C-alpha cells in the first residue's frame, strides 16, 4: 500500500453533490515537486553501479563483452532494490518474508532484495481531510448540511500499516460517522450556536477511533452549516421576536425603576411642602431658560417669587 496508491483511493470518497467541495482540500490529493526524488536517486544508483561494475569488468577481463554488460546490468538492478532514500517527513515500513521487521527513514536506508520489501511510506506531516454530512436530521428533526475539516497526523507508522488497511479513508469515514452521530443528538440551535462544543466533541470521538491506528487528531473545525431557507426565515422571525421581547422587558424594568423613584419623591414632597415649592420653582426657572420667553405664573406660585421689603428705619 504505497503512498501514491493511498492518495489515489482517498479521492474516491463522497458520492454526494456537495462532498467534492470540501474533499478537494484533502491532503492526499496534494502533489509535491520532490515526490520523484526516490526515483531520481534510484536512477542515479543504477547508472553509477552499472558504470563502476562494467569498468571493473573491463579492467579484469580486458574486453567489453556481452557478459560484462549483463553482469553490470544485473548488479545495477540489485543496487536500486538495495539502496534507497526517504524524505524527512517519511517513515518506511519494511517487511521481511511478509512479517514486520523495522521502520526505516528518514534519509538513506538499505533493504535486502527479494527478502525485504516496502509495505508503506507513511507521511508524518499534518494532514487535512474534509468531510460532510448531507441532509442529516438533528434531534428536533431539522435537516442540515454540514461541512467540516479534520487536521491529523500519523504518529506511529507501524500501527498505521498493521492495524488498518487504508488510514486515509479510515480517518475520513470515522470523521463523517462521528459528525452524523453528533448532529443527530443535538438540536438545531446547539449545532448553529455552540460550534466550539461540537468541534471538541468531534475531535474526541475521532481521536478515540484513530488512536488505535497510530493517528493523532489535532483539531476538528466546522466549516459551514446550511439549513433549509424556509427554516432560515422562521428562525430569523423568531430571533426578531425574541429581541423585541427583550427590549420590552428592559423598557418595563426602566419604567418600574422610574415609578419607584417618583413614588419616593412624592413621599418627600408630601412631608415637606417647602421642598415641593422649591422644586416647582426650579422647574419653572428651567422652563424660562429653555424657552427664552415670558412665563405666566399662576397665583398659587406667586408667593414664592415675592421678596420681603427691607424694614424702614
Amino acid at each position: 500500500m504505497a503512498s501514491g496508491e493511498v492518495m489515489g483511493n482517498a479521492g474516491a470518497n463522497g458520492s454526494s453533490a456537495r462532498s467534492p467541495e470540501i474533499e478537494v482540500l484533502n491532503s492526499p490529493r496534494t502533489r509535491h515537486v520532490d515526490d520523484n526524488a526516490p526515483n531520481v536517486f534510484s536512477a542515479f544508483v543504477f547508472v553509477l553501479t552499472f558504470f563502476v561494475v562494467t569498468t571493473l569488468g573491463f579492467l579484469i577481463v580486458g574486453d567489453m563483452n556481452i557478459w560484462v554488460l549483463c553482469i553490470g546490468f544485473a548488479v545495477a538492478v540489485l543496487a536500486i532494490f538495495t539502496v534507497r532514500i526517504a524524505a524527512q517527513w517519511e517513515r518506511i515500513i519494511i517487511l521481511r518474508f511478509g512479517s514486520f521487521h523495522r521502520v526505516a527513514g528518514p534519509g538513506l536506508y538499505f533493504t535486502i532484495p527479494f527478502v525485504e520489501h516496502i509495505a508503506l511510506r507513511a507521511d508524518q506531516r499534518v494532514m487535512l481531510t474534509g468531510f460532510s454530512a448531507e441532509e442529516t436530521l438533528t434531534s428536533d428533526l431539522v435537516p442540515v448540511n454540514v461541512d467540516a475539516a479534520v487536521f491529523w497526523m500519523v504518529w506511529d507508522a507501524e500501527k498505521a500499516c498493521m492495524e488498518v488497511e487504508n488510514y486515509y479513508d479510515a480517518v475520513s469515514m470515522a470523521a463523517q460517522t462521528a459528525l452524523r452521530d453528533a448532529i443527530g443528538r443535538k438540536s438545531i440551535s446547539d449545532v448553529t450556536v455552540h460550534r466550539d462544543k461540537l468541534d471538541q466533541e468531534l475531535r474526541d470521538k475521532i481521536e478515540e477511533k484513530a488512536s488505535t491506528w497510530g493517528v493523532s487528531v489535532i483539531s476538528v473545525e466546522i466549516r459551514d452549516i446550511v439549513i433549509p431557507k424556509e427554516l432560515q426565515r422562521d428562525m430569523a422571525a423568531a430571533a426578531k421576536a425574541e429581541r423585541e421581547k427583550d427590549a420590552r422587558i428592559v423598557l418595563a424594568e426602566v419604567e418600574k425603576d422610574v415609578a419607584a423613584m417618583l413614588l419616593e419623591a412624592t413621599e418627600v414632597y408630601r412631608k415637606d411642602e417647602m421642598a415641593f415649592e422649591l422644586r416647582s420653582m426650579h422647574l419653572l426657572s428651567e422652563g424660562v431658560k429653555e424657552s427664552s420667553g415670558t412665563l405666566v405664573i399662576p397665583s398659587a406660585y406667586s408667593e414664592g417669587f415675592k421678596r420681603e421689603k427691607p424694614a424702614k428705619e
Side-chain angles (χ1 to χ4, degrees):
M1 186 171 56
S3 178
E5 295 174 352
V6 174
M7 292 178 181
N9 293 335
N13 290 337
S15 58
S16 59
R18 297 175 67 253
S19 295
E21 295 182 11
I22 184 70
E23 291 183 0
V24 74
L25 302 176
N26 289 2
S27 293
R29 292 178 178 270
T30 306
R31 293 291 183 269
H32 301 277
V33 295
D34 53 3
D35 282 347
N36 293 323
N39 297 331
V40 174
F41 179 77
S42 296
F44 170 75
V45 170
F46 179 87
V47 173
L48 179 62
T49 304
F50 181 80
F51 176 77
V52 171
V53 172
T54 52
T55 301
L56 290 176
F58 176 77
L59 295 177
I60 295 173
V61 178
D63 184 21
M64 186 65 67
N65 54 38
I66 188 63
W67 295 106
V68 173
L69 294 176
C70 290
I71 293 174
F73 181 81
V75 174
V77 171
L78 290 176
I80 64 176
F81 285 106
T82 302
V83 183
R84 304 171 185 266
I85 61 169
Q88 179 65 35
W89 56 84
E90 286 183 332
R91 298 297 181 270
I92 312 301
I93 306 301
I94 297 178
L95 304 183
R96 177 175 291 182
F97 295 114
S99 299
F100 173 79
H101 184 257
R102 69 184 186 278
V103 178
L108 191 69
Y109 65 97
F110 301 91
T111 58
I112 303 175
F114 312 114
V115 175
E116 296 178 343
H117 71 277
I118 298 174
L120 176 68
R121 289 179 176 268
D123 193 327
Q124 291 196 315
R125 292 172 293 184
V126 175
M127 295 292 175
L128 166 63
T129 297
F131 58 99
S132 61
E134 295 284 328
E135 300 293 332
T136 304
L137 293 177
T138 61
S139 60
D140 46 359
L141 302 180
V142 177
V144 294
N145 298 328
V146 181
D147 287 343
V150 55
F151 296 87
W152 55 277
M153 65 177 296
V154 176
W155 60 271
D156 191 330
E158 180 182 351
K159 288 185 177 181
C161 178
M162 302 300 173
E163 301 297 332
V164 63
E165 179 185 4
N166 188 325
Y167 58 86
Y168 284 100
D169 290 347
V171 170
S172 178
M173 186 59 64
Q176 191 175 54
T177 303
L179 178 60
R180 289 182 178 274
D181 180 66
I183 293 175
R185 290 184 288 101
K186 295 182 179 296
S187 64
I188 184 63
S189 59
D190 291 335
V191 173
T192 55
V193 177
H194 303 293
R195 288 195 181 189
D196 53 344
K197 294 182 179 180
L198 183 58
D199 291 345
Q200 185 61 38
E201 180 179 348
L202 289 174
R203 182 191 177 281
D204 295 340
K205 287 289 185 180
I206 302 171
E207 177 76 21
E208 182 180 354
K209 293 182 179 179
S211 60
T212 59
W213 307 330
V215 173
S216 177
V217 178
I218 299 173
S219 66
V220 179
E221 298 179 4
I222 301 298
R223 180 173 176 266
D224 190 21
I225 299 176
V226 179
I227 60 178
K229 292 184 178 180
E230 297 79 5
L231 185 59
Q232 290 182 21
R233 289 192 292 267
D234 294 340
M235 293 179 66
K240 182 179 179 181
E242 189 68 23
R243 288 194 297 269
E244 291 179 355
K245 174 185 175 182
D246 294 340
R248 290 180 181 273
I249 291 175
V250 172
L251 180 60
E253 291 177 351
V254 171
E255 291 180 351
K256 179 181 178 181
D257 294 339
V258 172
M261 289 187 290
L262 290 176
L263 178 62
E264 183 180 354
T266 301
E267 291 295 327
V268 174
Y269 294 146
R270 184 176 62 82
K271 295 178 181 179
D272 190 345
E273 295 183 359
M274 182 60 67
F276 178 73
E277 291 182 1
L278 288 175
R279 179 59 179 166
S280 302
M281 293 168 58
H282 176 73
L283 293 175
L284 292 173
S285 175
E286 291 295 328
V288 171
K289 289 180 180 179
E290 292 180 1
S291 62
S292 301
T294 303
L295 180 66
V296 178
I297 303 174
S299 58
Y301 296 99
S302 61
E303 295 297 331
F305 291 93
K306 293 180 178 180
R307 295 182 179 178
E308 295 182 359
K309 295 181 179 180
K312 293 182 180 182
E313 297 180 356

